[in-house]
């Protein structure tokens, strides 16, 4: 059984599968500023909205998959994160934002767990495949950390490491992405080349 059909039971057969651009949040769509404590600290890159529009125009879903261990560590609460997610969705028009609130070093008991959703585990991608009809074969994972690239490799999709966040200079461990680009605008250029 393939990765795609393992997680897409119940989809209408007539729905046409779309590829997805899976996106980390911080360092990709927003400035990397460490753990944010409140919504007002989130700074979305000025080009993010344009890039999401371009992904949609080229037939891709734009889906955010973000580790938010700051909840487990008590840096901010769930309501504050939901405000950030709503702002990101409303401004950039990404199709969905999935997040993992867990961390193995968390201080909030309910989130201090080893889970299956914290990247590089596949939980958020599996959830997206349940919610959307995704053509995984043609999808990409875009991020600025090793965990993003490892997630993409586990999911069997192409991986792109961006220098607009942590990038190659601050990787947690060695990884081999398919592409290394400066920022999200370069991903748009890649798709333009591929669609000519």
């Amino acid at each position: 059984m393939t990765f795609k059909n393992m997680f897409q039971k119940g989809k209408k057969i007539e729905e046409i599968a779309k590829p997805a651009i899976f996106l980390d949040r911080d360092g990709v769509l927003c400035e990397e500023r460490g753990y944010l404590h409140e919504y007002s600290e989130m700074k979305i890159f000025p080009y993010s909205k344009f890039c999401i529009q371009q992904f949609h125009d080229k037939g891709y879903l734009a889906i955010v998959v973000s580790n938010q261990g700051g909840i487990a560590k008590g840096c901010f609460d769930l309501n504050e994160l939901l405000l950030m997610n709503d702002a990101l969705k409303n401004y950039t028009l990404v199709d969905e934002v999935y997040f993992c609130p867990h961390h193995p070093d968390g201080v909030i008991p309910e989130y201090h767990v080893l889970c299956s959703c914290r990247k590089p585990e596949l939980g958020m991608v599996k959830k997206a495949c349940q919610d959307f009809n995704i053509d995984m074969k043609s999808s990409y994972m875009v991020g600025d950390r090793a965990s993003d690239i490892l997630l993409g490799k586990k999911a069997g999709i192409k991986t792109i490491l961006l220098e607009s966040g942590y990038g190659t200079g601050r990787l947690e461990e060695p990884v081999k992405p398919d592409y290394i680009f400066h920022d999200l605008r370069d991903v748009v250029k890649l798709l333009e080349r591929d669609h000519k």
Side-chain angles (χ1 to χ4, degrees):
M1 188 175 273
T2 65
F3 181 89
K4 179 183 164 187
N5 62 27
M6 275 173 68
F7 306 113
Q8 293 190 330
K9 291 174 182 172
K11 294 288 180 199
K12 291 180 184 174
I13 203 137
E14 66 269 22
E15 281 182 12
I16 296 172
K18 282 185 170 185
I21 309 290
F22 291 99
L23 302 148
D24 183 33
R25 189 190 79 179
D26 301 322
V28 175
L29 293 165
C30 307
E31 292 179 16
E32 175 54 65
R33 311 183 79 194
Y35 285 127
L36 304 181
H37 296 89
E38 55 188 45
Y39 154 73
S40 62
E41 295 175 344
M42 185 174 74
K43 305 295 181 193
I44 301 172
F45 287 129
Y47 51 77
S48 293
K49 183 175 183 177
F50 168 78
C51 292
I52 298 305
Q53 180 184 358
Q54 292 298 302
F55 297 156
H56 286 154
D57 288 349
K58 290 168 178 48
Y60 288 83
L61 296 162
I63 297 174
V64 178
V65 287
S66 180
N67 285 347
Q68 292 297 327
I71 292 179
K73 291 184 173 185
C75 299
F76 52 88
D77 64 23
L78 183 59
N79 289 333
E80 204 65 38
L81 178 62
L82 293 176
L83 281 175
M84 295 181 211
N85 290 351
D86 285 345
L88 187 65
K89 285 174 77 170
N90 292 335
Y91 180 74
T92 66
L93 302 180
V94 293
D95 294 285
E96 191 54 89
V97 178
Y98 297 96
F99 64 91
C100 169
H102 310 112
H103 197 286
D105 299 325
V107 297
I108 308 296
E110 64 188 291
Y111 300 123
H112 178 191
V113 294
L114 285 173
C115 65
S116 60
C117 54
R118 183 172 172 80
K119 293 181 292 186
E121 299 306 319
L122 289 168
M124 289 186 280
V125 171
K126 289 180 181 181
K127 181 68 171 81
C129 287
Q130 290 170 350
D131 295 343
F132 296 91
N133 194 0
I134 299 176
D135 171 9
M136 289 297 290
K137 231 175 16 176
S138 304
S139 295
Y140 292 83
M141 177 66 218
V142 181
D144 67 321
R145 303 194 73 159
S147 57
D148 300 312
I149 304 310
L150 294 170
L151 168 64
K153 298 291 186 188
K154 279 189 177 187
I157 59 180
K158 290 178 185 164
T159 57
I160 301 172
L161 181 70
L162 297 187
E163 300 285 18
S164 49
Y166 282 97
T168 53
R170 292 190 285 170
L171 287 173
E172 314 94 289
E173 61 182 278
V175 290
K176 291 187 176 178
D178 295 293
Y179 303 94
I180 299 173
F181 292 141
H182 180 68
D183 64 42
L184 203 56
R185 291 169 289 192
D186 295 315
V187 180
V188 173
K189 291 174 189 172
L190 171 69
L191 298 182
E192 285 171 349
R193 291 198 301 269
D194 287 353
H195 283 78
K196 279 185 179 176

